[in-house]
Amino acid sequence: MMRVWLLVMSAVAVTACATTPRADSAPPSCEQGAVLPCPEWGAKLLREGDRPRAIEAFAKSCAEGDLSSCMTEGQLRKESGDFVGAELPLTKVYDTGDEKAALALADVREAKGQPVDLRAAAQLRHEAPAMNKPDTEVLFAMRTGSEMGTGLEVSFNLQPMAFMDRRLGFGANMVLGGNDGMVEANGFAAYQHYLTPFVVPYARAMVGGMGSGQDTLLNLGGEAGVKLCLEDVGHLNMAAGVSRASGGYLSVGLGLNGLIVLAILLQIR
């Protein structure tokens, strides 16, 4: 009887061990006494008004690579007047091309007030609206004008941050169709101004060739327009311009990040 009782007790103990959660499978705690991971624990401490411990919780999460926590830590330190402490976490986010981090970092540098800091803040504010835009764009547009009728334009634009923080752009375009089958191909240089991160007027000068059949002639032209940007996805484009091949024209189109277009083409293949 004793042997049966021991076997039963052993079975119960094994079952209990199998069904009891292991300590190492529980969510990682942030500090002694914490019952949540660091970002959630920091948010809880903020709601309770414990700002210093909340900052430390987000700092620990930031050190482990959570960029959202880095942004929160930087903002909290900035608001608390700890400008030196705010720089490192905000810089981590800024290095990923984040506009909000650039503006927060500019606030920090301005608050420090030294001439070198003020120059750095001005540069950050200049960079910020262009940071989350693509380096390359492919534009598909419809052109219409009294002389050319309606044609299709495809253009490629190169605009890395190295070109005056995306203020300068270079590229090429081709226009097909129109009333007389005229083909227009140009290279162009453009300047764009960031009114806001979403509204970007531009102007460009074009030079290239125009032809219908065997004849090819020099083409010259210019265009002014506005981009309505959707971060690094692309933009809607509206423009008016003039060229020897097309005469005066209006155009409307969709610009896409060059990497998105490349991915689509690879899928089609």
Side-chain angles (χ1 to χ4, degrees), residues 7-129:
L7 288 173
V8 171
M9 293 301 294
S10 297
V12 170
V14 169
T15 303
C17 290
T19 56
T20 300
R22 291 174 53 118
D24 59 8
S25 66
S29 62
C30 188
E31 61 181 33
Q32 187 172 5
V35 294
L36 294 168
C38 283
E40 290 85 349
W41 185 243
K44 180 176 183 295
L45 291 171
L46 270 184
R47 290 193 297 270
E48 294 172 354
D50 193 343
R51 207 173 171 86
R53 286 174 66 204
I55 290 174
E56 292 307 312
F58 286 115
K60 183 174 180 181
S61 182
C62 175
E64 294 170 354
D66 183 358
L67 291 178
S68 176
S69 292
C70 292
M71 188 70 193
T72 304
E73 179 199 353
Q75 291 280 22
L76 290 173
R77 290 190 186 277
K78 175 172 73 77
E79 292 165 7
S80 299
D82 180 9
F83 302 122
V84 174
E87 277 196 67
L88 179 59
L90 289 176
T91 299
K92 285 184 179 181
V93 187
Y94 161 78
D95 287 342
T96 68
D98 187 278
E99 175 198 349
K100 291 181 180 179
L103 293 173
L105 201 52
D107 290 340
V108 168
R109 300 303 291 267
E110 284 177 348
K112 292 174 74 173
Q114 297 299 315
V116 65
D117 294 311
L118 296 177
R119 289 193 294 272
Q123 177 60 32
L124 287 164
R125 294 196 185 283
H126 192 260
E127 293 176 6

Side-chain angles (χ1 to χ4, degrees), residues 14 19 51 71 79 94 101 151 174 185 196 205 212 216 233 266 269:
V14 169
T19 56
R51 207 173 171 86
M71 188 70 193
E79 292 165 7
Y94 161 78
M174 178 173 286
T196 75
S212 177
T216 301
V233 175
L266 291 175
R269 288 185 60 189

